[in-house]
Amino acid sequence: MTASTTTPASTTTPASTTSPEPTRRDFLYVATTAVGAVGAGFAAWPLIAQMNPDATTLAAASIEVDIGGIALGQVVTVKWRGKPVFVMHRTPEEIAAARATPLSELPDPVSDEERVQKPEWLVVIGICTHLGCVPLVHQGAFKGAFCPCHGSDYDTSGRIRVGPAPANLAVPPYKFATESKLVIG
Amino acid sequence: MTGHPTYVPRSAAAKWLERRLPILGLLHSSFVVFPNPRNLNYWWTFGGILSFMLAAQIVTGVILVMHYTPQSHLAFASVEHIMRDVNYGWLIRYAHANGASMFFIALYIHMFRGLYYGSYKEPREVLWLLGVVIYVLTVATAFLGYVLPWGQMSFWGATVITSLFSAIPLVGDTITTWLWGGYAVDNATLNRFFSLHYLLPFMIAGVVVLHIWALHVPGSNNPAGIEPRSDKDTLPFHPYFTIKDGFALVCFLVFYAWFVFYVPNYLGHADNYIEANPMQTPAHIVPEWYYLPFYAILRSIPSKLGGTAAMFAAVLIIAFVPWLDTSRVKSAAYRPIYRIFFWLFVACCVLLGYMGSKPPEGIYVITARLLTFYYFLHFLVILPVLGLVERPRAVPKSIAEAVLGKKPHPLSVDAHP
């Protein structure tokens, strides 16, 4: 940005049109633009950041679930951070089906052992990893969960088997506080 | 384009205003004496119809906001309140909801008319690009508006469409959380969608002004696809085209009113009369009809990122048509092979829409994939190659010749004021 190229000749002093030295006007031009650009960035940030989750949303972080009453083979759906979480009390057949599947058949290969803390309890976020629908439990070819929106099929470990979803159903952070109390989050 | 009288203010008030802001002269030259090709057919009336529909949507929308509550626990009930308690609320809401569909019907006819008659070609490329901007803004506005009643289809439509952004590598989840203002679609999402749904129509109106400005530089294209050469080729906007546009608008409004009064829910979905439930997805999610072709393209690619990219590409490719079509002849009336491919493309779009309305299984998936392939083939191969290999028919020398035949016609002089 030199005076000879950016400043109209009529507004510059005769010296600046011939001199390669930057003028005071060039300095002011560059300095004002730089400060203005940085200032615009700082001013824009709050306008963008206000759209991120607010304090009340962040505060609703963990829930407790009483699992004592969930029968074998039953699935209970609880709400955590606005999302459904499936708490599945799996039967021995379901566990066996999940564990008998070779990893080579899985689009997102993870063993069933890595996805559960106790074999009979599968805890997964009930949001299809494709486009966010809630799959129907115990449906589809693998009897785990089937998403009606675009046909993603999950097995009894919540792993994607067929369909457009790219990943397995997510496992939320959870722990067993007692034998019958599950804490999610 | 000369030969039409310029504006001369007559009253003292008009003279006073014109010296200070020459807006009367601008309106006069744009909408009274503006020279339009004399051969414009009824496919050219949809621009006026769209202007009317935009105004109608803004008026009904502003009124609905006087009775609607953008809060996740109250929104659904407030829409029912509009339907049952507000004076003529049912009429205004049905007019607004069906008005969106009418807007898209007119918009798609307007776009296909441009594709048929080559209205995007030199010197109208910027006019076409502004039209694509209007289309994209309209798609966004309609999507945001459909979320506001907070029914099951509102909620899950919002979830599916915003989740498209989670397909973006690395930053996808951060972006969706930012769009939602939470970890799922919720009250924060509803609030911002309401804010943007109110904003975007006014942005559309702004781009419409640019669109008309860009239209009035070269003037309208016409069925012959040749530029006017003399005053014999044109007629003044008023009264010839004000009455033609007005008549077409009235016919269109009869069609619109039939939907509003007789089948107001035909184009909607029954599931949207169930309040949003974040814990349960309806068994069969379908977007509004005007998105179905793009929805079919999204589903036909068996990969999350690929499907999302294909869907956005299907919209954006429309912007490149002026440079993809290599033919120098504008109108399909003189392009015998393009005319066939044009109707094949129309059929492809309609069939894609049908596939988008069907569950993603069996024959529908395969057909949708073939149609998706053909959709892109039309733009990327057929349009460029056809312009090079097709032998167009002889184009008439002038618009007057196209209308009146080669013999000089006695009316050709009299019809011109």
Side-chain angles (χ1 to χ4, degrees), chain A residues 48 50-54 57-58 77-79 81-84 129-134 148-151 164 166, chain B residues 156 159-160 163-164 166 177-179 181-184 192 278-283 285 295 298-299 303-304 360:
Chain A
I48 296 165
Q50 52 82 22
M51 281 176 67
N52 273 320
D54 59 23
T57 308
L58 294 171
T77 306
V78 294
K79 197 173 178 182
R81 282 185 164 185
K83 299 176 181 184
T129 56
H130 182 223
L131 293 175
C133 297
V134 179
C149 293
H150 307 98
Chain B
W156 291 102
T159 298
V160 168
S163 294
L164 291 176
S166 71
T177 303
W178 177 73
L179 286 172
Y183 302 103
R192 64 194 54 183
M279 308 300 276
Q280 190 183 29
T281 307
I285 293 198
Y295 192 62
L298 165 76
R299 295 193 310 190
S303 133
K304 182 172 169 178

Side-chain angles (χ1 to χ4, degrees), chain B residues 131-195:
Chain B
V132 174
V133 171
I134 293 170
Y135 175 62
V136 171
L137 286 174
T138 307
V139 165
T141 308
F143 161 67
L144 295 168
Y146 193 62
V147 176
L148 303 185
W150 211 240
Q152 274 288 64
M153 281 292 164
S154 299
F155 184 91
W156 291 102
T159 298
V160 168
I161 300 301
T162 49
S163 294
L164 291 176
F165 293 94
S166 71
I168 300 169
L170 302 176
V171 294
D173 286 329
T174 313
I175 288 176
T176 36
T177 303
W178 177 73
L179 286 172
W180 289 337
Y183 302 103
V185 173
D186 209 334
N187 186 50
T189 325
L190 176 62
N191 272 243
R192 64 194 54 183
F193 278 21
F194 175 66
S195 169

